[in-house]
Amino acid sequence: MRVIKIEGTDDTPQVTLDANPENPFMEISGRSLPEDVVAFYDPILEWLDEYAENPLEKTVLNIKLEYFNTASSKLLLDILLKLEDMNDAGKDVLVRWHFPDDDEDMEEAGEEYEDIVEVPFEQVSYSID
């Protein structure tokens, strides 16, 4: 399966979607306020559709965003709903929601997503040096 690696910018998150069974890694990190949010997230959603056809034993998506705008929040929900579909199909799915330990808004955003979708969530705080 192809690997998606998108370098982050000031307005777009860094994205790595690698389903290599030897060393899988899936992460969305940084800031998300792309000018055309649909164009940015479409390849990610398409990759997830393809991945969902034959997922790994365990799927872990790390989300480590510093900021995201309202348009991005909708697309993040679309990503989480795709993971929910996999979870509903009996696959082992986990979302690790990382947030700075002094950022209550990001912590609450993770809690809100956790309430919306039926996917196991793990809240992970981290400190910024």
Side-chain angles (χ1 to χ4, degrees), residues 1 21 32 40 45 51 53 55 57 64 70 72-73 79 85 88-89 95 101-102 112 115 127:
M1 179 162 193
S32 182
F40 181 82
L45 293 168
Y51 173 75
E53 293 174 13
E57 284 286 316
K64 191 174 183 179
T70 304
S72 295
S73 70
I79 289 169
D85 288 344
D88 289 348
V95 174
D101 57 8
D102 63 348
E112 289 173 12
D115 287 344
S127 60

Side-chain angles (χ1 to χ4, degrees), residues 63-68 80 95-116 121-126:
I63 299 178
K64 191 174 183 179
L65 293 170
E66 298 165 17
Y67 175 82
F68 57 91
L80 295 173
V95 174
R96 285 200 180 108
W97 184 270
H98 302 260
F99 60 93
D101 57 8
D102 63 348
D103 190 339
E104 290 179 19
D105 291 337
M106 263 315 179
E107 181 179 8
E108 288 175 12
E111 291 169 355
E112 289 173 12
Y113 280 125
E114 184 177 9
D115 287 344
I116 294 170
F121 258 69
E122 189 176 291
Q123 299 274 353
V124 182
S125 69
Y126 64 92

Side-chain angles (χ1 to χ4, degrees), residues 4 28-29 37 47 72 76 78-79 86 89 107 110 116 120 125 128:
I4 290 186
I28 300 171
S29 62
V37 68
W47 187 92
S72 295
L76 287 171
D78 288 348
I79 289 169
M86 282 189 266
E107 181 179 8
I116 294 170
S125 69
I128 298 175

Side-chain angles (χ1 to χ4, degrees), residues 20-35:
N20 178 344
E22 305 280 324
N23 192 20
F25 185 69
M26 299 178 197
E27 183 175 87
I28 300 171
S29 62
R31 297 168 47 88
S32 182
L33 50 154
E35 190 171 308

